[in-house]
Amino acid sequence: VASFLKLVFVSACNSTFVAKAFRNAGVKNVVAVDSKISDKAAQVFTRAFYLSVALGDPIALAFKIGREAVRSS
């Protein structure tokens, strides 16, 4: 059981099935990609997401910030 994990970040195209496996194992927060994504977009999202988390933002807000960073890049 992976319920002790607070966050799993899967940076791979079409990784929804992996995300579901982690959620089913009890991981509360899973970030994954449900389609194809460019390397540049993945880098932009990851940088913004982790910076937001490091600053103490909730995971949901960090996710929104990451998506906005991709949109504006």
Side-chain angles (χ1 to χ4, degrees):
V1 173
S3 61
F4 65 92
L5 294 173
K6 305 263 188 241
L7 170 68
V8 171
F9 188 98
V10 184
S11 184
C13 296
N14 302 309
S15 55
T16 304
F17 69 98
V18 175
K20 288 179 183 175
F22 280 113
R23 291 287 292 159
N24 290 339
V27 178
K28 184 177 178 183
N29 299 287
V30 181
V31 175
V33 180
D34 65 357
S35 62
K36 189 172 180 178
I37 186 171
S38 71
D39 288 343
K40 178 65 177 170
Q43 290 169 353
V44 169
F45 177 88
T46 301
R47 185 171 198 272
F49 176 82
Y50 277 119
L51 178 59
S52 181
V53 169
L55 292 173
D57 292 334
I59 301 297
L61 177 58
F63 184 81
K64 289 178 185 178
I65 289 170
R67 287 184 65 169
E68 185 55 39
V70 172
R71 278 191 209 106
S72 64
S73 68

